[in-house]
Each structure stands twice: as C-alpha cells, then as structure tokens.
Amino acid sequence: MSNFVNQITFITGAGSGIGRATALAFAKAGAHVVVAEVNEECGRETVTQIQQLGYEALFVGCDVADPAQIEAAVRQTIGAYGQLNIAINNAGIGGKYGRFIDQTKEDFDQIMAVNVGGVFYGMQAQIRQMLTQPEGGRIVNLSSIAGVRGMPMGAPYSASKHAVIGLTKTAALEYVRQNIRINAVCPVYTHSTMVDELINTAPGMEERMRRMIPIGRFGQPEEIAQAILWLCADENTFYTGQSLQLDGGLTAG
Ligand SMILES: NC(=O)c1ccc[n+]([C@@H]2O[C@H](COP(=O)([O-])OP(=O)(O)OC[C@H]3O[C@@H](n4cnc5c(N)ncnc54)[C@H](O)[C@@H]3O)[C@@H](O)[C@H]2O)c1
C-alpha cells in the first residue's frame, strides 16, 4: 500500500475508538494528522500518542455539530499546512437506545446535528479547499451497518447513517471529475467507547450483539482504520461513491 508521507489528514472525533486508531495508522504511514475533537483531553491524548511514536500531529478543538466550528477547524488546518489532502469525517454519537415511539425531538435533532450536519458542513469546507488543489483530495465518511439496514431501538442513529451514504454518493458524483474521491465505511459493532455504552444498557447485551455477527466477534478499530487507509491510497484510483461494509459477513447473508 502507498505511504502517506506529508499528506495533510484531517480526522474528526480522533480522540477515541475508530478515529484514534485511524489517526495513529495515518501517522505511522507518514501523514501529518489533524485531530479535530470536541473532547479536548482525549483529542490531546491522541496527539501525544502520535508524537510519542515520533510522528507529527496537531490538535484542533471542534464541535462538528456547529457548522461554524467545523468550517473553522478545516480553515485552521489549511492555515497550518497550506493544503488538505485527506479528510475523515468520523465524529459521531450513538444516541439513546430506545423504541422508535419513545425517541424525542431533542435526541433526534442532536444526532442529526452531529452525525449528518458534521459530515455535510465538514465536506463543504473540505471540498472547497480540495477544488483549489490540482491533486484534488480524498474523503471518507463514517456510516455504519445501521446505514444500510434498519436498527431496531436506534431509529435516529440509523436514519443519520443512511443520510451519510446519501451525502457520500451525491458529493462523489458532483466532484468525480475534479479528482476528489469520496467514500463511506459501514462498520458493524467495533470496540469503542460508543459500543461499550451500548453493551452496558442491559445484561446479556454483548452476547446478543456478538451473535448477530457471522465471524463471531466485534471488529477492532484498527481493522476499520486499515480499510480507511486503503480507500485513501494513491493506487486506489477508480473507487468512489461507495459504501464499504466492514461487518464480519453480516450483510452477506
Ligand atoms: N464502534 C462501532 O461499532 C461503530 C459502528 C459503525 C459506525 N461507527 C461510527 O464510527 C464513528 C466513530 O465511532 P466510535 O465507535 O469510534 O465512537 P467513540 O465514541 O469511541 O468515538 C467518537 C469520538 O467522536 C467525538 N465526538 C463526538 N461528538 C463530537 C462532536 N460533536 N464534535 C467533535 N467530536 C465529537 C467523541 O469525543 C469521540 O472521541 C462514529 O461516527 C460512529 O457512528 C461506529
């Protein structure tokens, strides 16, 4: 696989789980990683981990639910490095585990603001910059298996992740001739803070979740990170507008 030496790589929600694993993987491959996080402590911890490995990283505080903040974070990245080669719109929240009819407007609006607004306004700022670069750029958005299947007890989350695929496909088609490749990944349950919270909602939950997955285990954040790197690789020139399912065989059945 190609290396990512000096590639400016902006990752939202890189303070934990899949985002942190992706930040570490890009840094090890030579990228300059920008950690855009609402949680300053865990975002700075990712930067420290990258620096301890001898690589470069920058922390940028950012709540992706606020269009002005995500735009400012992208601008800060360009101000620091002069370009933006890769953007990973990863920040997301799971919302409340509960019946469709019990989900509230407050929960719905919050999940849409973070999971959909963060990707939409993030991509607007990222694409504007990539359009100024002859080499274009690459974007990967975090959808989910809940973005291609229904998710009982998670209606707003599932809706938000379906929307991420719509944004991904549409932007990919609009900018395919400008050398900007845009894809999504759709992981099944993967070890992270978000999944730990879900596991803790009820006794026996972890086992029930595991039984759904043909391979018999949850994903590891590093496995998702490697797929994201592949999507952004220079050699990967013909793959755009797609949703890569990383699900231990779930949707094969
Ligand atoms: N873990 C899974 O099983 C799984 C499966 C499918 C999709 N995903 C998606 O992967 C992405 C990463 O999830 P994870 O499992 O690593 O979760 P996580 O909770 O471990 O990490 C999410 C990170 O995003 C940050 N974040 C949350 N809201 C933010 C905001 N408004 N602005 C900026 N940062 C914010 C958090 O502080 C956290 O560091 C999410 O979009 C999630 O929906 C996760």
Side-chain angles (χ1 to χ4, degrees):
M1 182 178 294
S2 73
N3 65 40
F4 291 91
V5 173
N6 296 335
Q7 296 283 291
I8 309 308
T9 302
F10 174 89
I11 309 178
T12 66
S16 171
I18 294 168
R20 176 176 285 170
T22 304
L24 286 162
F26 271 108
K28 287 178 192 166
H32 295 318
V33 175
V34 177
V35 172
E37 248 294 347
V38 72
N39 181 328
E40 179 162 355
E41 193 183 336
C42 69
R44 288 199 185 278
E45 170 58 25
T46 299
V47 169
T48 302
Q49 287 188 20
I50 290 172
Q51 289 168 343
Q52 280 169 351
L53 292 169
Y55 304 105
E56 187 175 326
L58 173 72
F59 172 77
V60 174
C62 165
D63 179 352
V64 302
D66 177 352
Q69 288 193 40
I70 178 81
E71 195 186 334
V74 173
R75 261 194 275 108
Q76 206 176 322
T77 301
I78 297 157
Y81 294 108
Q83 60 186 21
L84 176 66
N85 305 108
I86 295 168
I88 314 300
N89 293 303
N90 163 80
I93 54 173
K96 286 218 179 80
Y97 183 77
R99 294 190 308 170
F100 197 107
I101 56 174
D102 296 329
Q103 299 279 352
T104 65
K105 179 178 188 311
E106 194 186 23
D107 295 335
F108 183 83
D109 290 348
Q110 177 63 9
I111 217 162
M112 288 295 158
V114 177
N115 294 7
V116 185
V119 173
F120 178 63
Y121 296 110
M123 276 207 291
Q124 282 194 324
Q126 295 149 11
I127 291 168
R128 280 188 197 114
Q129 171 61 24
M130 289 174 180
L131 285 171
T132 70
Q133 304 172 172
E135 72 277 20
R138 285 138 285 163
I139 298 176
V140 175
N141 299 319
L142 265 288
S143 177
S144 166
I145 281 303
V148 293
R149 294 164 51 116
M151 182 183 173
M153 311 297 272
Y157 182 77
S158 182
S160 74
K161 293 300 181 180
H162 277 75
V164 167
I165 292 179
L167 294 174
T168 300
K169 287 178 176 173
T170 302
L173 287 172
E174 283 192 27
Y175 300 104
V176 67
R177 299 278 177 109
Q178 280 82 24
N179 214 13
I180 304 174
R181 287 193 297 102
I182 306 173
N183 291 291
V185 289
C186 301
V188 76
Y189 299 126
T190 299
H191 288 293
S192 72
T193 309
M194 182 187 291
V195 158
D196 286 347
E197 280 168 16
L198 188 56
I199 285 170
N200 292 329
T201 52
M205 188 70 162
E206 185 171 2
E207 188 45 36
R208 261 188 286 150
M209 288 159 68
R210 201 192 324 276
R211 270 205 302 267
M212 279 175 50
I213 309 172
I215 205 169
R217 63 173 177 83
F218 288 13
Q220 295 292 342
E222 293 75 17
E223 293 176 301
I224 313 305
Q226 286 309 316
I228 293 172
L229 257 69
W230 174 75
L231 286 171
C232 295
D234 281 344
E235 296 88 336
N236 186 6
T237 46
F238 207 51
Y239 195 83
T240 194
Q242 304 301 313
S243 310
L244 184 62
Q245 293 169 24
L246 301 158
D247 64 2
L250 179 66
T251 50

